[in-house]
Amino acid sequence: MKRTKIKELLTTTPSGQQVTVQGWVRTFRNNQFVAINDGSTIQNIQAVVDFNNTPETLLKRITTGACVSITGELVPSPAKGQPVEVKVQKLEILGDSDAEKFPLQPKKHSLEFLREIAHLRARTNTFGAVMRVRHAMAFAVHKFFNERGFVYVHTPVITGSDAEGAGAMFRVTTLDANNPPRDEQGKVDHKQDFFGRETNLTVSGQLEGETYALALGDIYTFGPTFRAENSNTTRHLAEFWMIEPEMAFYDIQDNMQLAQDFLQYLVRYALEHCAEDLEFLNKRALEEEQTKPQEQRSELSLIDRLKFVSENDFQRLSYTEAIDILRSSTPNKKKKFQYLIDEWGADLQSEHERFLVEKHFKKPVILYNYPAAIKSFYMRQNEDGKTVAAMDVLFPGIGEIIGGSQREERYDRLLKRVQELGLPDKDLWWYLELRKFGSAPHSGFGLGFERLILFVTGMTNIRDVIPFPRFPGNAEF
Ligand code: 4AD
Ligand code: MG
């Protein structure tokens, strides 16, 4: 008999019809009540076993973690909190689970512990909920851009360029690390490498994305990106997913508006389509909050925070205005910032970003027009000669969720900047050439997908919102 997913059964009117459910045992009580979860919803279905007529040997195999297939009658449940249950007529164990050894017990485990068993953690309520929300958000990303006529462009994972000019790249090579071929000067000869040159895993699809924006108008990328930077924080991964829209004829103002519309759309989508999982995550986040000292607790619950962000305009503010606010503020009566912002031109630390978002404006902030010296080479130079048309979107509890800019579309200015910074213009020839043939004003940004998922789920460590996190020293699973 074809199986029915639990999500569907829970909204079916029970009239004793035959159903088959397949899933994993969460608990087995009183030799009678099996709670089964199949991942289609956070809720379990209760199956009631007739233990008088079930062999002891079979009953013993109904253990937490085992995979079962049951067929029986769908009936109204007398127990509270569940509309239906299944009166078991046939029970089959598809996969045994040794109760003594199964690491997931029916109790709350710490997230640190669960990270060590990343191959099993999807069987917990928390990870089930987070991954269903993650799926919904990925779907909503495509839906948003499709509704606006953007073209999804697949940019390469292996590249010859360093899009951010930051050098934090993973090398891709087929050369023998112990004995690489060498040229006459004794340097490693990359001409003999697979691609005949040095290559890396991409840090961003932006540069390639720009080439398509200057042909198709509005495009976006959505794929994995890699950074060999120190990612031993709760906000960084060595492998993360990024969404990068790029739009011809957009200036920085249009770019900021799109970033706000996009984020609000995603958050609204989650509220509308992930209600059950968000309710669970909301409770979970509240419990976490209770473990923090009073002054560190957030004023709003997860769901209220999502509603607030989806309904209110973000605060737009230039870097210079932000510096003025920060210079005249003390985060609380006694303490100053750990890093003082004395000089115009200094990069903001996360404590400054948090102050602006969480204490001063109490809403998401879009900072724009940053000093050129602290931003990437491709950003459009403003007429003041000091700043570039960069923008960062800062979110409560997250910090930077989006980074973007209007791009420098003027060939001479871009070339000069590339040379000033000593970047390899021979690798960037094609990017520069775009400015020679039909250049156009254009803008774009990158949304860190996992940072979005952190915000929407209320989870606090980025390693817990991606199925298999990559960070220094960890690529086991
Ligand atoms: O600010 P970033 O470095 O910008 C770019 O890569 C641009 N090329 C984007 C563009 O304009 N098309 O990164 C963009 C976003 C950040 O705001 C952050 O959300 C996320 O990507 N991000 C990371 N997320 C997780 N782990 C990391 N190591 C991340 N580095 C950046
Ligand atoms: Mg950035």
Side-chain angles (χ1 to χ4, degrees), residues 93-146:
I93 308 285
L94 299 179
D96 286 286
S97 170
D98 183 340
E100 299 284 301
K101 294 190 183 136
F102 186 58
L104 294 172
Q105 296 305 314
K107 62 160 197 170
K108 209 173 161 190
H109 292 288
S110 79
L111 294 169
E112 289 78 12
F113 169 72
L114 293 176
R115 258 170 245 148
E116 291 168 14
I117 49 165
H119 60 307
L120 290 172
R121 67 178 181 170
R123 300 231 203 126
T124 62
N125 280 335
T126 297
F127 283 88
V130 167
M131 295 309 156
R132 278 186 297 270
V133 171
R134 186 179 164 110
H135 159 77
M137 290 294 86
F139 181 76
V141 164
H142 290 298
K143 188 161 154 35
F144 174 83
F145 286 122
N146 192 53

Side-chain angles (χ1 to χ4, degrees), residues 22 99 164 179 184 196 201 257 304 315 330 388 460 465:
Q22 298 179 322
E164 287 302 300
N179 187 22
E184 275 123 53
L201 294 180
Q257 190 60 46
D304 288 340
Q315 180 70 42
T330 21
V388 287
T460 51
V465 296

Side-chain angles (χ1 to χ4, degrees), residues 432-466:
L432 285 156
E433 198 170 284
L434 275 184
R435 276 74 181 163
K436 278 193 181 167
F437 304 122
S439 191
H442 62 289
S443 301
F445 60 79
L447 167 64
F449 189 52
E450 285 74 21
R451 294 200 186 168
L452 169 79
I453 307 303
L454 275 179
F455 181 73
V456 173
T457 60
M459 299 295 283
T460 51
N461 192 322
I462 200 162
R463 297 173 185 180
D464 299 328
V465 296
I466 186 164

Side-chain angles (χ1 to χ4, degrees), residues 164 227 375-376 379 391-392 400 402-404 446 451:
E164 287 302 300
R227 297 197 185 175
K375 287 289 178 186
S376 299
M379 297 184 175
M391 57 169 236
D392 276 3
E400 181 191 331
I402 277 180
R451 294 200 186 168

Side-chain angles (χ1 to χ4, degrees), residues 164-180:
E164 287 302 300
M169 296 183 296
F170 287 101
R171 179 61 46 84
V172 175
T173 179
T174 53
L175 297 181
D176 178 356
N178 296 318
N179 187 22

Side-chain angles (χ1 to χ4, degrees), residues 9 11-17 74 84:
L9 285 183
T11 54
T12 303
T13 311
S15 57
Q17 66 269 53
L74 189 71
V84 296

